[in-house]
Amino acid sequence: MYKTWVAKAPKAPMVLEAVDPGPLGAEDVEILVEHCGLCHSDLSVLNNDWGISQYPAVLGHEVIGRITALGPNTKGLKAGQRVGVGWYSGSDMHCRQCMSGNQHLCPSAQATIIGHRGGFASHVRSHWPWAIPLPEKLKFAEAGPLLCGGITVFNPLVMYASPTNRVGIIGIGGLGHMALKFAAAYGCDVTAFTSSASKFDEARSFGAQHVVSSKDTTAIQKLNSSFDLVISTVNVKLNWDAIINTLAPNGRLHIVGAVLEPIPVSAFALIMQQRRVSGSPTGSPVDIAKMLDFAARHNIDPQTEHCPMSKINEAFARLESGKARYRIVLDADF
Ligand SMILES: [Zn+2]
Ligand SMILES: [Zn+2]
């Protein structure tokens, strides 16, 4: 039997329940959970903000743990190995996206916390390609948030930035603080945008060379035509016109924050300077492995607050209050 923290309905507090997981799939591994990061998406799925949640729900998709059992058709993994599991924990491995290395774009990719039991539990299961071995040097207790938040902000840098670029990061929270660390280690000239003056110094400590208030329209206007890449991590409405105007010719606004209101874009702002607006979800298993190697090599750890998993409901409340600095990690205590 697995012990799981279960939400029975939207916004319901999670309760501890034992569940029978049934037989382990031939291509699946079983992982004993040690730590699991708490991501804003866990809250969105708990509250059914996106209308795709399934209940009962076991949340948690930034899992760190050790492999305790392997199905007969798994490959390249062994019992006792420490691995991480992120937003996805399975894909069909035969569709065009999977065969071209974009398993995170697989139309039948299995989200770890939708119709599947996530990592706020004693054990989690994953399709073997999605259980990513951790580099030795990585501080594993802090590594959970890299599996979802980390890869989400690392992938746009790999896809679109070069070390000579000027890069802006909007929102200094769970995602944004990791984006600053990655972009600085990548070699970019990094500007942080935050609505909170109390985060200016910390943004610099994460690697920002410049910090701008996202509420200061005059300061933003002074940055017109400067950035090669702006990554937005926020889930609130911004002055999008002003942000798009900070893009240099050929610049790109890249969205990773799940803002629910549409983003209005003026055709002329794009056409005249050949700008782009784009978005991306997490990344493939190989992208995640590359990101973990990069993080280990550059000593990049998310800044975390640890909390025992038994305090899961308090942890969700703290995340919702916006007080977490910057990512909460729940330590398994079953
Ligand atoms: Zn596929
Ligand atoms: Zn997430």
Side-chain angles (χ1 to χ4, degrees):
M1 297 292 271
Y2 292 176
K3 291 173 186 154
T4 56
W5 284 100
V6 184
K8 300 267 174 81
K11 305 185 183 188
M14 280 149 279
V15 293
L16 186 60
E17 257 183 17
V19 296
D20 178 356
L24 185 64
E27 296 204 3
D28 290 347
V29 294
E30 177 192 78
I31 299 157
L32 176 73
V33 177
E34 296 173 297
H35 308 279
C36 188
L38 172 49
C39 172
H40 205 275
S41 304
D42 290 310
L43 187 59
S44 301
V45 172
L46 173 66
N47 294 344
N48 200 20
D49 289 339
W50 303 332
I52 56 170
S53 303
Q54 294 177 30
Y55 303 90
V58 179
L59 306 169
H61 60 274
E62 294 181 339
V63 188
I64 300 292
R66 284 188 186 274
I67 293 179
T68 41
L70 299 102
N73 298 347
T74 58
K75 309 232 178 355
L77 297 168
K78 53 182 194 291
Q81 192 169 12
R82 188 169 272 127
V83 293
V85 178
W87 177 255
Y88 287 121
S89 53
S91 56
D92 63 23
M93 304 308 276
H94 64 74
C95 74
R96 193 167 283 202
Q97 296 305 328
C98 285
M99 291 302 281
S100 59
N102 293 304
Q103 291 87 354
H104 61 301
L105 304 179
C106 173
S108 48
Q110 174 62 60
T112 301
I113 60 170
I114 298 164
H116 179 273
R117 286 189 203 94
F120 297 143
S122 61
H123 299 76
V124 72
R125 286 179 173 182
S126 171
H127 187 203
W128 66 266
W130 290 93
I132 319 291
L134 298 194
E136 278 294 313
K137 243 188 85 187
L138 202 66
K139 286 186 209 145
F140 69 89
E142 311 303 327
L146 295 173
L147 271 302
C148 177
I151 185 61
T152 297
V153 294
F154 180 78
N155 235 13
L157 290 171
V158 173
M159 289 190 288
Y160 306 122
S162 74
T164 54
N165 280 169
R166 292 187 72 184
V167 171
I169 306 295
I170 305 177
I172 308 311
L175 292 175
H177 90 284
M178 287 189 266
L180 293 179
K181 291 184 177 205
F182 279 130
Y186 211 63
C188 304
D189 180 76
V190 187
T191 300
F193 291 86
T194 172
S195 59
S196 152
S198 66
K199 291 182 179 172
F200 276 36
D201 286 342
E202 228 170 354
R204 287 192 185 90
S205 77
F206 296 141
Q209 279 95 353
H210 324 278
V211 187
V212 177
S213 165
S214 53
K215 290 176 181 160
D216 185 345
T217 313
T218 318
I220 294 175
Q221 270 167 3
K222 282 191 190 143
L223 294 168
N224 271 0
S225 298
S226 25
F227 296 109
D228 302 293
L229 175 66
V230 171
I231 300 175
S232 174
T233 72
V234 297
N235 58 5
V236 292
K237 210 168 134 190
L238 297 175
N239 183 347
W240 296 110
D241 272 339
I243 300 291
I244 288 169
N245 281 326
T246 67
L247 297 175
N250 283 318
R252 176 186 295 267
L253 170 63
H254 192 79
I255 309 294
V256 296
V259 55
L260 294 178
E261 296 87 358
I263 296 173
V265 180
S266 123
F268 270 109
L270 298 185
I271 293 169
M272 299 314 287
Q273 301 211 40
Q274 212 164 284
R275 292 159 166 154
R276 287 159 276 205
V277 178
S278 55
S280 62
T282 61
S284 72
V286 167
D287 295 332
I288 295 171
K290 273 190 214 165
M291 177 275 303
L292 293 173
D293 279 344
F294 185 89
R297 191 158 69 246
H298 292 280
N299 297 309
I300 293 174
D301 303 311
Q303 182 161 317
T304 59
E305 296 177 358
H306 283 259
C307 168
M309 210 172 275
S310 52
K311 295 220 160 76
I312 187 168
N313 290 306
E314 289 94 319
F316 270 73
R318 183 163 171 82
L319 174 68
E320 197 156 23
S321 76
K323 287 186 193 136
R325 292 288 180 276
Y326 278 87
R327 204 72 168 174
I328 297 171
V329 172
L330 301 183
D331 304 322
D333 62 343
F334 294 97

